[in-house]
Amino acid sequence: MDLSQLEAFLAVCRIRNFTKASEHLHISQSAVTARIKALENSVGKVLFTRDNRNVSLTQAGISFVPYAERMLRLFEESKVTLSEELENYIILSGPGSVWHYYYLQHILSFRRDHPKVAIKFLSYIDSSYMIRDLLLDGIVQVAIKYDPPEHPKVTRHLLFEDEIILVSTRLRETPVSREDFFQREYCHLEWGGPFPEWFTSIVGAGYVPTLQTDHSMIMLDMLLLGAGFGFLPRSIAQPYLDQQKLFQLQCELDTPIIKAYALYLTENAEDIRVRLGLEMLGVDR
């Protein structure tokens, strides 16, 4: 087996879709399939069961996940150890919108101040997997998550709070009501924290939006192109509100506040990589 096979295996594990995994890895779907097949031949076990709609791990695949993660982690750490130019290597994870809209400038400033620290930040990761496996297994030093539950092994620091608001390129004379979410003009994205549960309590468990995405930048672009109206965190919407490219809509319902936290293993609190990661995010302990 080689590293590209392990990367393909873990990408499919996280995303549970061969096509999306290929997009994430920037390779063809056939290449992902070939790498998984070669890995299965190497270990002598079938790692995935798949049909036209679903991809799931076999019991052998479940057992192989921690070994694959450790092999990749050891390889990444060895590159830093063998490098004469680098002193530390930090791996962070969190939602793509958090990196794009909140912390890109932090990362760039940190790189200028710490030229011998290598940084890797992951964004295309299921949030439960991010905490359950990546953080607890030590692969990620610092993770960002909206409203994480308490965990006995994890310390969390509040990073920011953000108001979820309704916006559109067109003003409305009447406030948005529950019935408006069933119209074709509504664009949906499952924002983090309490938002999914709150929204389900409004529209019901069987609700299907007429237009939905899972990508914050696509959502923003759709709204700016006049697709209709939808929810955005105020921090994302504010520059466009200031320029009057978007307008905040009144809503009959009280929308939620989302809270983002930085998480790390409590036992690693003094690890230099954790301290550097928190410094990058502006956390003052």
Side-chain angles (χ1 to χ4, degrees):
M1 72 184 70
D2 60 32
L3 293 174
S4 66
Q5 295 169 8
L6 297 176
E7 289 174 342
F9 169 74
L10 292 175
V12 176
C13 284
R14 295 163 191 160
I15 302 171
R16 301 301 172 95
N17 183 286
F18 275 67
T19 300
K20 291 183 178 179
S22 68
E23 293 171 357
H24 174 66
L25 295 170
H26 305 292
I27 59 177
S28 66
Q29 181 178 339
S30 60
V32 171
T33 301
R35 291 179 186 184
I36 296 299
K37 185 64 176 177
L39 181 61
E40 290 177 330
N41 290 337
S42 179
V43 299
K45 298 287 185 180
V46 175
L47 302 175
F48 294 104
T49 58
R50 43 200 180 270
D51 54 34
N52 291 334
R53 293 187 176 182
N54 301 306
V55 175
S56 58
L57 285 162
T58 64
Q59 188 57 51
I62 294 172
S63 300
F64 187 67
V65 168
Y67 296 103
E69 291 173 335
R70 290 188 181 101
M71 282 187 278
L72 275 181
R73 183 178 62 186
L74 287 171
F75 175 71
E76 295 292 345
E77 290 177 353
S78 71
K79 289 194 295 185
V80 176
T81 301
L82 296 173
S83 173
E84 297 179 354
E85 299 178 355
L86 297 174
E87 294 177 351
N88 285 290
Y89 180 41
I90 312 169
I91 304 178
L92 306 96
S93 64
S97 59
V98 169
W99 298 124
H100 184 79
Y101 296 106
Y102 294 92
Y103 287 112
L104 279 185
Q105 287 300 324
H106 287 245
I107 293 171
L108 297 178
S109 297
F110 182 89
R111 291 187 71 222
R112 288 192 293 268
D113 296 337
H114 299 274
K116 293 191 175 184
V117 176
I119 305 163
K120 180 177 183 179
F121 57 101
L122 309 173
S123 62
Y124 203 98
I125 294 177
D126 173 74
S127 59
S128 61
Y129 174 84
M130 176 178 67
I131 304 303
R132 185 186 67 245
D133 296 278
L134 297 185
L135 186 67
L136 294 179
D137 201 36
I139 294 171
V140 163
Q141 285 82 54
V142 179
I144 299 176
K145 192 175 187 300
Y146 288 114
D147 289 302
E150 296 282 351
H151 193 286
K153 294 184 178 181
V154 175
T155 296
R156 63 182 192 172
H157 289 276
L158 179 65
L159 292 174
F160 59 83
E161 299 182 3
D162 212 343
E163 178 187 8
I164 299 292
I165 62 174
L166 277 169
V167 298
S168 174
T169 55
R170 300 182 297 274
L171 285 170
R172 290 171 54 116
E173 295 182 358
T174 58
V176 174
S177 65
R178 175 186 182 277
E179 289 71 26
D180 290 312
F181 298 129
F182 293 84
Q183 305 304 314
R184 66 184 305 274
E185 289 78 18
Y186 174 64
C187 307
H188 187 68
L189 191 152
E190 291 277 300
W191 296 103
F195 180 85
E197 183 177 348
W198 170 82
F199 191 75
T200 298
S201 73
I202 302 300
V203 298
Y207 171 80
V208 178
T210 60
L211 182 61
Q212 180 175 4
T213 181
D214 62 353
H215 198 295
S216 59
M217 291 183 67
I218 295 175
M219 178 68 168
L220 176 60
D221 286 343
M222 288 195 305
L223 295 175
L224 289 170
L225 289 170
F229 69 96
F231 289 101
L232 289 178
R234 178 174 291 279
S235 61
I236 294 176
Q238 194 61 54
Y240 303 95
L241 297 174
D242 294 342
Q243 300 169 39
Q244 295 191 325
K245 292 182 178 180
L246 290 175
F247 298 94
Q248 182 176 352
L249 305 181
Q250 297 301 310
C251 185
E252 292 182 353
L253 310 161
D254 292 329
T255 55
I257 301 293
I258 58 175
K259 298 180 181 180
Y261 291 82
L263 312 172
Y264 60 88
L265 287 178
T266 304
E267 65 184 29
N268 294 339
E270 298 308 315
D271 187 318
I272 183 61
R273 297 169 298 172
V274 170
R275 289 192 282 129
L276 288 169
L278 295 175
E279 178 187 335
M280 186 191 312
L281 300 177
V283 174
D284 183 7
R285 295 191 299 170

